[in-house]
Amino acid sequence: MARFSIPMIGFLLLCIILLAPTEAAYLKYKDPKQPLNVRIRDLMKRMTLEEKIGQMVQIERSVATPDAMTKYFIGSVLSGGGSVPAPKASAEAWVNLVNGIQKGSLSTRLGIPMIYGIDAVHGNNNVYNATIFPHNVGLGATRDPKLVKKIGEATALEVRATGIPYVFAPCIAVCRDPRWGRCYESYSEDHKIVQAMTELIPGLQGDMPPSAQKGAPFVSTAKGKVAACAKHYVGDGGTTKGINENNTVIDLNGLLSIHMPAYFDSILKGVATVMVSYSSWNGKKMHANQELVSGFLKNKLRFRGFVISDWEGIDRLTSPPKANYSYSVQAGVSAGIDMIMVPYNFTEFIDDLTYQVKNNIIPMSRIDDAVRRILRVKFVMGLFEEPLADLSLVNELGKKEHRELAREAVRKSLVLLKNGKSADKPSLPLPKKAGKILVAGSHADNLGNQCGGWTITWQGLGGNDLTVGTTILNAVKSAVDPTTQVVYNENPDANFVKSNKVDYAVVVVGEPPYAETFGDSLNLTISEPGPSTIANVCGAVKCVVVVISGRPVVIQPYLAKVDALVAAWLPGTEGQGVTDVLFGDYGFTGKLAHTWFKTVDQLPMNVGDQHYDPLFPFGFGLTTKPTKSY
């Protein structure tokens, strides 16, 4: 050491200082002008095993500390249902949350941005003041893919308003049995309608250019687009008795002809990610189904985006869940799942996967495949160039144009099942000018019931304090002539109805909010006091019954009593869409996308079945003309 003179050391230090920036200044993976595959290869060759495994991990917001992001190189974060920065948090609060976590990722050695995901299944539904669109069951009844694409565009803007670039939507399940608690997430029992509604994907992501490679993920880097996720691969809507997460018993031909077609369309439209289903196919859990995930989806369909697990999806490969976690990790990753939604015990997952790779239980090639796909999506969507969100889109949240679009969707989704006790005397449209009208029912003045599950919280909430919107009662009050008296009684008895001498009544009843397994039902009844309200009101006065439900429910016992019957599904925040049609500003146009059964004993029953004997067949829907004379 003593042999070096002070000037010599100074000269060497100067050389190091001059040379160092040149070395660090140019990294191919950070250069957007470089071809995509060059960027991916350049980044991957720099990554350690720990950094690669970190990319495969998606953790919940509540555990995504800056320390966790930097120490474990976490690739993705999500908000589970109802997981928010604060109750009624503003768009700005969401942006700050997402950016705070992202800064942790950017401070790592390679600065790989994380991707934040959220369930935006009918609008940006976790977020206060967002526009809540009708659930998919209603959108299927519109038969309007262009409308659904516009809803995708509006949803993408409202999600980007909160700084989030990735949504777990659309659900392209084909619900074959309304007893399934997720049936409202399905556009139809008919795969052709579900295929048409994959137009939500270019709405969310942007239109795939004609020159794009088939199977490649595409997300426009134009402001206000998000990466989408087709879910749940595959057969989730076909389980026995509609039991959630259960077994779909069907031959390969049936699987490919009913449950798979919408995945073909999604991949052709450049969907960035695919989520695996909790359900099984002929006894084999999809989260461990290498033949269908790697063999069919990745190799045969040439899907080039990444495959993500469902929430704790690999844990549920054993019964009880997590009984043999090492097996679950091995089976899930080996099947071809690229990103694992852990979401909490991520260090255990990382340790397990690292051990299995180091001991050649899972080959390095499988890890590289996963990381390549995840990085491809991140590069394609421009996350490396713009990892941090700004506040320029915050005013998109719940904006008037989006609410008008949701209102249009409500109008077009309503299905008129009965109109008058005889065909020559229709009950609808209702006159706006009347002496006194009655509005009744558990769902008439209940925004939470109107929106259903996956709204602000996972299971949804009853009441009017969950978010901003218009109940059907308030929509009625706005729609009628100022001289018409509107009387509201949630559950009136027959005496109340008779003594009030009303001209007619609007009765709004249905199901309470629910999501997933909590919605599984073997009886599919309208919740009490709905049936008694129908009996009390419709026995005494001319009445229109509006059913708020996530699926066809038992209505045959009440059909003779009611003058008119409307299936309104789960319309969301814009209740005026219901009154637009009830009072004749617009005509009824919706058609059933799910068969309406007579009794639950007939289930499952789908159009085309040999003994098809529904109360209202698939495709049924009476129409009315708009009227301007009241």
Side-chain angles (χ1 to χ4, degrees):
M1 224 17 195
R3 290 182 191 174
F4 288 103
S5 65
I6 298 296
M8 187 64 169
I9 291 169
F11 175 72
L12 288 171
L13 284 172
L14 184 63
C15 289
I16 290 164
I17 290 161
L18 289 170
L19 289 170
T22 326
E23 202 55 37
Y26 185 70
L27 298 166
K28 276 187 186 174
Y29 76 89
K30 289 195 171 180
D31 183 358
K33 295 193 181 84
Q34 287 289 340
L36 176 61
N37 287 332
V38 170
R39 297 181 78 183
I40 294 169
R41 273 198 304 273
D42 181 64
L43 179 49
M44 284 188 67
K45 76 179 184 195
R46 299 171 190 276
M47 294 173 77
T48 63
L49 176 62
E50 289 69 28
E51 287 165 331
K52 286 178 178 178
I53 285 175
Q55 284 301 301
M56 297 173 67
V57 181
Q58 185 179 64
I59 66 174
E60 216 286 319
R61 172 202 66 82
S62 55
V63 294
T65 61
D67 184 54
M69 301 306 290
T70 51
K71 187 175 176 184
Y72 297 100
F73 313 104
I74 300 297
S76 184
V77 177
L78 85 151
S79 270
S83 177
V84 297
K88 300 187 178 180
S90 65
E92 289 87 346
W94 278 95
V95 169
N96 292 336
L97 164 78
V98 176
N99 282 350
I101 297 169
Q102 185 68 282
K103 283 170 185 170
S105 296
L106 299 177
S107 70
T108 55
R109 183 177 74 92
L110 296 170
I112 303 171
M114 65 87 193
I115 182 170
Y116 198 109
I118 198 164
D119 281 284
V121 297
H122 60 144
N124 194 3
N125 50 262
N126 278 284
V127 176
Y128 183 77
N129 196 35
T131 309
I132 304 297
F133 293 91
H135 267 299
N136 290 355
V137 64
L139 297 181
T142 69
R143 303 290 202 282
D144 192 341
K146 287 181 180 166
L147 174 71
V148 167
K149 184 178 181 182
K150 285 184 192 166
I151 289 170
E153 290 167 351
T155 300
L157 282 166
E158 296 212 10
V159 171
R160 280 287 192 176
T162 56
I164 295 170
Y166 175 32
V167 299
F168 307 123
C171 176
I172 53 173
V174 182
C175 175
R176 304 290 285 175
D177 192 324
R179 291 174 291 188
W180 186 36
R182 302 193 84 152
C183 201
Y184 66 74
E185 297 184 56
S186 168
Y187 294 108
S188 181
E189 70 187 45
D190 177 12
H191 69 84
K192 290 192 278 304
I193 290 176
V194 180
Q195 285 178 272
M197 297 308 179
T198 58
E199 274 301 285
L200 190 85
I201 293 167
L204 293 166
Q205 297 190 156
D207 288 306
M208 192 156 182
S211 59
Q213 182 192 354
K214 184 191 167 192
F218 173 77
V219 184
S220 169
T221 51
K223 215 170 181 67
K225 293 299 178 187
V226 294
C229 178
K231 66 184 190 181
H232 308 86
Y233 185 83
V234 61
D236 49 342
T239 58
T240 304
K241 294 185 179 175
I243 298 166
N244 192 41
E245 303 183 19
N246 209 259
N247 190 23
T248 298
V249 180
I250 194 169
D251 63 18
L252 179 61
N253 185 48
L255 188 79
L256 296 182
S257 61
I258 295 171
H259 298 285
M260 193 69 80
Y263 286 94
F264 305 154
D265 293 72
S266 300
I267 291 164
L268 285 172
K269 290 172 184 178
V271 74
T273 72
V274 170
M275 185 183 289
V276 182
S277 178
Y278 287 128
S279 58
S280 304
W281 176 49
N282 295 336
K284 179 150 193 178
K285 287 193 177 276
M286 281 305 308
H287 274 72
N289 197 318
Q290 190 174 14
E291 295 78 13
L292 283 176
V293 177
S294 288
F296 197 85
L297 179 64
K298 289 184 171 182
N299 297 338
K300 187 142 192 181
L301 298 185
R302 300 185 61 74
F303 173 62
R304 292 287 175 267
F306 68 78
V307 177
I308 186 168
S309 82
D310 208 332
W311 178 279
E312 294 178 342
I314 63 164
D315 302 34
R316 303 192 202 188
L317 287 174
T318 57
S319 186
K322 222 176 173 194
N324 182 345
Y325 194 60
S326 292
Y327 160 76
S328 294
V329 171
Q330 183 188 348
V333 175
S334 298
I337 301 173
D338 304 310
M339 185 178 280
I340 312 294
M341 198 184 286
V342 182
Y344 300 115
N345 299 316
F346 58 92
T347 54
E348 184 181 5
F349 171 77
I350 289 168
D351 291 345
D352 236 307
L353 183 55
T354 305
Y355 174 85
Q356 293 192 33
V357 175
K358 285 183 173 174
N359 288 275
N360 300 318
I361 298 164
I362 292 175
M364 194 64 208
S365 58
R366 174 71 273 274
I367 304 301
D368 285 343
D369 172 56
V371 176
R372 193 176 297 115
R373 290 165 176 277
I374 292 162
L375 293 179
R376 182 179 291 126
V377 170
K378 290 183 178 185
F379 278 123
V380 161
M381 61 195 292
L383 210 50
F384 279 79
E385 284 66 61
E386 288 193 41
L388 295 170
D390 59 35
L391 299 175
S392 62
L393 294 175
V394 293
N395 293 330
E396 296 290 335
L397 193 71
K399 79 172 182 181
K400 186 171 178 289
E401 292 86 341
H402 297 166
R403 291 186 181 276
E404 284 300 320
L405 178 65
R407 183 173 177 172
E408 178 190 351
V410 175
R411 288 197 293 266
K412 291 180 174 177
S413 69
L414 302 179
V415 180
L416 181 56
L417 298 172
K418 181 179 179 180
N419 191 14
K421 289 191 173 165
S422 62
D424 56 336
K425 287 189 179 170
S427 302
L428 295 173
L430 295 167
K432 290 185 177 182
K433 198 161 190 173
K436 189 191 286 187
I437 64 173
L438 170 66
V439 178
S442 52
H443 290 53
D445 190 32
N446 194 311
L447 193 63
N449 285 358
Q450 198 173 295
C451 291
W454 287 114
T455 308
I456 306 301
T457 68
W458 175 39
Q459 291 296 319
L461 293 164
N464 290 332
D465 191 42
L466 76 166
T467 192
V468 177
T470 306
T471 66
I472 293 170
L473 171 65
N474 286 334
V476 169
K477 288 176 177 175
S478 300
V480 296
D481 188 87
T483 62
T484 302
Q485 187 185 348
V486 179
V487 178
Y488 170 64
N489 188 323
E490 188 175 327
N491 186 24
D493 58 26
N495 290 332
F496 178 90
V497 182
K498 284 171 187 158
S499 62
N500 265 275
K501 295 189 173 67
V502 297
D503 293 80
Y504 62 83
V506 177
V507 178
V508 192
V509 294
E511 297 186 296
Y514 56 80
E516 299 190 41
T517 306
F518 292 92
D520 286 357
S521 170
L522 292 175
N523 57 32
L524 293 178
T525 49
I526 291 171
S527 7
E528 281 291 353
S532 25
T533 308
I534 294 172
N536 293 342
V537 177
C538 299
V541 68
K542 178 183 167 184
C543 78
V544 176
V545 171
V546 178
V547 178
I548 304 289
S549 68
R551 52 202 164 184
V553 289
V554 174
I555 53 169
Q556 193 182 31
Y558 326 115
L559 202 51
K561 290 191 190 84
V562 309
D563 294 276
L565 179 65
V566 177
W569 314 112
L570 296 168
T573 49
E574 307 313 302
Q576 318 94 305
V578 176
T579 51
D580 282 345
V581 188
L582 286 183
F583 292 100
D585 293 338
Y586 295 83
F588 278 92
T589 56
K591 304 289 180 193
L592 288 181
H594 293 78
T595 296
W596 206 296
F597 58 88
K598 290 175 180 171
T599 74
V600 288
D601 299 334
Q602 296 176 296
L603 299 175
M605 177 174 56
N606 299 107
V607 63
D609 287 358
Q610 196 178 350
H611 304 291
Y612 190 65
D613 181 30
L615 183 61
F616 300 107
F618 174 88
F620 180 82
L622 301 171
T623 56
T624 59
K625 293 269 189 292
T627 173
K628 292 296 170 198
S629 54
Y630 307 117

